[in-house]
Amino acid sequence: MAEIQIKGVGKSFGSFTALHSIDLTIADQEFMVLLGASGCGKTTLLRIIAGLESPTRGEVWIGGKRVDQLPPRDRGIAMVFQNYAVFPHLTVYENIAFGLRMKKLPQPEVDTRVRRTAELMHIEQLLKRYSGQLSGGQRQRVAVARALAMEPDVILMDEPLSNLDALLRLEMRAELKGVLANSKTTTIYVTHDQVEAMSLADRISVMNGGRIVQAASPVEVYRNPAARFVGSFIGNPPMNFLPAEKHGDGRYHVAGLSLAGPPGAAQKLEFAIRPEDLAIAPGGLKAIARVIEPLGAHTLVTSEVGGALFRAVLDSDIRIAPGDELSLVPKPDRIRWFDPETSSALKAVP
Ligand code: ATP
């Protein structure tokens, strides 16, 4: 059992607060991704869990044991960090075997595990090479293989695929997912790449300014962002937002459209819709097309609605020219509402 509990963890560097009281529980064998823009505190949180950084306040528990006072080696974790410390003077084989030898595993067991993980990471042909002679991407794969070979209860990864080219990254992403799904490991994985996060995670913790804004499944984070930030950070292109105001008839008016908002909500709200949840049909939002980008499978139309930029992902057969007036109808069950004061989501209309 390796449930991880982070209780009220905060971190300050001098007067700068990198993490504000973080509370998060990661279930045994869960794959949790920490996602956020550069500087939001993902790496700091991971380093605190690893024991490479001590929290200013709060506690870290792994497998029912408080570990925040323990050195990294006593926490039952394996790590793959951006600066993957692969020893250049050792062969790939010896790098992968390193931790296993420290654990004094018998040679046949070491050999089996080294070969198996090397195969998984497609580096079996490199086993005899010195790590100093490898490319960045190859070294990164050695680091992942070394961590996997330990068969740890917990594996912590900080952008482990960042040095790979796009195609290899895609391939490795799928493989990592397969490998970790079949292991009994609890994984925490840091990335700023939302596609990677969506594809790998059981749950994503979206971070902003040293806080976790939402921790939920990829689908939930995408469909029901808990805050405006999440909707604007996740999705490419991101969610559209427009101001909405309640009129005398009790309905919310949004750029020519009249909608029943959430019952009992404030006078002013923010209406939100994802670009792919729009269709061209009469009686919709009044938009003027500005930029049309055919992307093959779809066409991305950037338009102006009430002076704001508004994006729609439409069928690629649609013929539109810049300057055309459009009427964009949102899918009713995909409309979301946010409180403009707090930026928090309001409950969707059933
Ligand atoms: P990235 O994706 O760029 O690695 P991140 O989300 O992982 O970003 P962190 O590395 O956790 O961000 O850093 C969070 C904030 O804390 C940043 O503003 C960073 O400058 C600051 N910070 C991190 N380590 C230190 C340190 N040792 N001293 C002072 N400030 C630090």
Side-chain angles (χ1 to χ4, degrees), residues 13-14 16-19 36-45 47 53 82 158-159 190-192 207:
F13 295 105
F16 175 74
T17 306
L19 292 175
S38 181
C40 71
K42 320 177 282 293
T43 297
T44 302
L45 182 55
R47 286 172 60 83
E53 196 86 70
Q82 273 161 335
D158 191 347
E159 308 259 7
V190 162
T191 183
H192 65 271
M207 295 184 67

Side-chain angles (χ1 to χ4, degrees), residues 66-188:
R66 186 166 172 187
V67 299
D68 47 87
Q69 304 298 325
L70 298 180
R73 66 174 179 279
D74 295 337
R75 297 188 181 198
I77 52 180
M79 303 173 229
V80 185
F81 277 40
Q82 273 161 335
N83 54 353
Y84 40 88
V86 168
F87 307 117
H89 60 286
L90 294 182
T91 60
V92 169
Y93 187 104
E94 285 307 322
N95 262 292
I96 302 174
F98 189 81
L100 306 175
R101 297 214 194 283
M102 299 280 280
K103 274 174 67 175
K104 303 207 170 10
L105 290 189
Q107 176 55 28
E109 173 73 12
V110 171
D111 197 60
T112 308
R113 289 209 205 172
V114 169
R115 291 186 191 284
R116 192 173 58 220
T117 49
E119 209 170 296
L120 277 171
M121 294 292 115
H122 294 321
I123 46 173
E124 66 272 30
Q125 75 288 5
L126 300 176
L127 285 171
K128 291 194 179 117
R129 292 265 289 275
Y130 282 90
S131 299
Q133 307 165 339
L134 303 177
S135 73
Q138 289 168 330
R139 270 206 297 279
Q140 209 159 26
R141 282 183 281 161
V142 174
V144 175
R146 187 174 58 189
L148 291 174
M150 297 293 287
E151 299 179 1
D153 290 338
V154 175
I155 190 162
L156 306 178
M157 301 201 203
D158 191 347
E159 308 259 7
L161 307 183
S162 61
N163 278 345
L164 307 181
D165 63 46
L167 202 63
L168 194 55
R169 199 179 163 119
L170 209 67
E171 198 178 298
M172 287 268 302
R173 188 173 85 196
E175 267 159 25
L176 255 188
K177 184 170 176 154
V179 172
L180 291 167
N182 291 326
S183 74
K184 300 212 179 306
T185 310
T186 307
T187 307
I188 307 183

